[in-house]
Amino acid sequence: MPIIVNQISFPLNATEQEVISTALKKLGSASKHAIDGEIHKSSLDARKRNDIHFVHSVFVTLDSADLEKKLCEKNTSLTYVERSVYKPVISTEKAEGKVVIAGFGPAGMFAGLALAEQGYRPIILERGSSMEKRTASVQKFWLTGELNTNCNVQFGEGGAGTFSDGKLTTRIKDPLCRYVLERFVDFGAPKEILTKAKPHIGTDNLRNIVTAIRKRIIELGGEVRFDTALTDLSIANGKVQTISAGDKNEKVSALILAIGHSARDTFELLQCKNIFLEPKPFSVGARIEHKQAAVDESLYGDHAGNPLLPKGEYQLSWRDKNGRGVYTFCMCPGGFVVPAASSSRQVVVNGMSPSNRGSRWANSGMVVEIRPEDYSELMKHEEMAVSKDSPLALMAFQERLEELCWLNGGMKQTAPAQRMVDFVNKKNSFDLPESSYTPGLLASPLHFWMPEFVTGRLREGFRHFGKVSRGFLTNDAVMIGVETRTSSPVRILRDKESYQHITLKGLFPCGEGAGYAGGIVSAAIDGERCAEGVAGYLSLV
């Protein structure tokens, strides 16, 4: 088992061997017991523009686990870790029916891969198309506005993460974090994702990796059914019995619901079946776009443009007097703002980046936290189709805000937009800067038609960020509406130990759509954990 040697600072041009040698020196005489060393993580410290450098941590494996533990007990700069492994315990309980997974985003994909590798032969249902067809469908939507409501930025092979930056950062501390990154490398991701503090794959690379994982699942006996949505399920004796999808009915022994955060019709189906749900906090706002060169200059000063430095990015957060968070979300350096609607009468925007982060723009979501108790405040502005007591109340608010954006965007995919300083000062923008958003922008007073509950907090947040971050609050930056698909506004409750729904046996709510993940890595880990839950519930049959 390795130890991690932390806090090793080096100039930008240091070699890997120099870093590892310094780590070994920190171990003193114990270094003679080292049998292996490799960089664990590298992060950029750009807090002082005249002293920009990398801070590394290094994996070192000694020939004695006891010595490793002893060193870590004495030295706070060392951390003892165990290599990440995935070994589920398989039940001896047999049951009739198939193991079915609804959804082939990161959660469903990793659940399917884990089960297939353990000898199960899962059936995976995906309402959208395979990567090849999905990419063509999304490109057509971006160019013409013609939307396929079952195959788009939200639905299809790889899930919503496919058309994103491919970020692999996560705040969770699950031991499987490293394991998931290693699996991405197994299927074609660059090995550097194992060492970067803020790893990303890029939407272009991610598509090939997703396809490779699908092929592996099929090689192991699994089945992936594209263009096949889960449309119904039957329940008896406190257990899911059958599901309907496409033109087939299947008897199921276990059903993993990895439906993603945008499967509104599936949430409605679950509510109709009296499957217990609850509203979940999420966030809404807009996407902010700056010139990438301006972000680089604000972070790096005279070092901007140095090829050894990554594209500049920022992460900002602030809480108002009521404790409501305002924060950046899914920052995409060198990226594009893209349309991300999944139904008609919607304008939804998201950010994505290719692996080289080579565009002239940087963008980030800027969002405000919404909680279930905020419902009455939100309703001061818009008529809602559901009561405040419905578990789908916040979903209805989310949907209405997207429709408002569509109406104010000219009832097509042109996005309503406003210069940032104009928004803060409640002034109309009569001209807009050049943007990466392909369908085009339409000058619009976001401060007027978006709910004050949201815009007031955004204005306060912008003023704060303008004081603490150079060059952030500027009229050269543009706000593009609306960013609403930050996470699921619904949670499907499950037991913490078994991962099964709190009232239904054999139903495993999973990933971001179920309210238990936020991003590619955490969703993938949740998929692995739900696969563990299925294995602990069912034997191989």
Side-chain angles (χ1 to χ4, degrees), residues 441-454:
L441 305 180
L442 181 67
S444 176
L446 275 66
H447 68 273
F448 176 75
W449 59 262
M450 288 180 70
E452 175 64 22
F453 183 87
V454 174

Side-chain angles (χ1 to χ4, degrees), residues 197-499:
K198 296 181 179 179
H200 76 103
I201 297 177
T203 186
D204 46 348
N205 286 336
L206 195 58
R207 297 173 197 178
N208 296 327
I209 294 163
V210 165
T211 303
I213 293 174
R214 177 236 300 173
K215 290 177 178 177
R216 178 61 175 158
I217 292 171
I218 294 171
E219 285 173 2
L220 294 168
E223 182 181 353
V224 182
R225 299 178 186 172
F226 292 113
D227 304 303
T228 306
L230 174 70
T231 55
D232 201 4
L233 53 86
S234 67
I235 299 166
N237 302 318
K239 181 181 180 300
V240 177
Q241 301 290 332
T242 64
I243 60 98
S244 299
D247 58 356
K248 293 183 179 180
N249 296 323
E250 295 281 356
K251 184 170 180 59
V252 298
S253 55
L255 172 62
I256 294 179
L257 277 179
I259 56 177
H261 57 41
S262 294
R264 291 169 177 165
D265 54 352
T266 310
F267 291 132
E268 290 167 352
L269 169 66
L270 298 177
Q271 186 186 30
C272 287
K273 296 289 181 178
N274 294 316
I275 295 173
F276 192 78
L277 313 170
E278 68 177 12
K280 184 188 77 65
F282 75 116
S283 300
V284 301
R287 192 145 280 261
I288 308 300
E289 188 170 62
H290 292 79
K291 289 289 181 64
Q292 181 64 55
V295 176
D296 290 346
E297 196 283 327
S298 70
L299 288 174
Y300 303 143
D302 293 341
H303 294 281
N306 185 328
L308 295 174
L309 290 170
K311 294 292 184 181
E313 56 185 305
Y314 53 81
Q315 184 175 348
L316 303 168
S317 64
W318 172 77
R319 289 196 177 275
D320 70 7
K321 61 184 179 182
N322 296 313
R324 289 296 186 271
V326 180
Y327 60 96
T328 52
F329 171 80
C330 187
M331 204 272 166
C332 295
F336 306 89
V337 181
V338 296
S342 56
S343 190
S344 60
R345 298 177 64 89
Q346 294 176 353
V347 168
V348 181
V349 294
N350 193 19
M352 67 174 240
S353 298
S355 56
N356 68 0
R357 290 178 163 174
S359 98
R360 294 183 288 128
W361 291 276
N363 68 78
S364 174
M366 180 63 72
V367 293
V368 173
E369 182 185 9
I370 305 292
R371 299 178 188 173
E373 58 264 34
D374 299 328
Y375 188 86
S376 59
E377 183 69 26
L378 297 171
M379 293 314 97
K380 290 179 180 179
H381 300 272
E382 299 300 332
E383 188 71 26
M384 303 301 292
V386 297
S387 76
K388 66 178 182 180
D389 298 321
S390 168
L392 305 183
L394 293 187
M395 187 184 85
F397 164 72
Q398 182 189 51
E399 193 167 19
R400 178 58 178 150
L401 185 56
E402 294 165 1
E403 184 180 27
L404 270 175
C405 193
W406 175 77
L407 290 168
N408 284 278
M411 294 184 289
K412 52 185 179 178
Q413 287 303 310
T414 47
Q418 189 172 10
R419 290 179 181 266
M420 189 189 292
V421 173
D422 287 345
F423 172 82
V424 170
N425 294 326
K426 296 186 179 182
K427 291 173 55 180
N428 290 344
S429 297
F430 295 104
D431 65 322
L432 296 171
E434 189 182 7
S435 170
S436 67
Y437 186 76
T438 303
L441 305 180
L442 181 67
S444 176
L446 275 66
H447 68 273
F448 176 75
W449 59 262
M450 288 180 70
E452 175 64 22
F453 183 87
V454 174
T455 58
R457 285 167 170 79
L458 285 177
R459 283 194 299 273
E460 290 183 73
F462 286 158
R463 292 188 184 104
H464 174 76
F465 299 144
K467 295 175 182 177
V468 300
S469 180
R470 300 184 199 91
F472 178 82
L473 181 55
T474 167
N475 237 19
D476 290 332
V478 62
M479 291 179 63
I480 304 172
V482 287
E483 177 95 18
T484 53
R485 307 292 178 93
T486 54
S487 66
S488 176
V490 179
R491 178 172 284 115
I492 311 171
L493 269 72
R494 71 186 185 194
D495 176 73
K496 291 181 180 179
E497 300 297 326
S498 70
Y499 293 91

Side-chain angles (χ1 to χ4, degrees), residues 47-67:
R47 290 173 296 178
K48 297 179 180 179
R49 295 200 290 181
N50 61 350
D51 181 26
I52 297 175
H53 58 277
F54 283 112
V55 179
H56 308 275
S57 58
V58 175
F59 270 137
V60 177
T61 304
L62 305 182
D63 57 16
S64 166
D66 289 339
L67 178 58

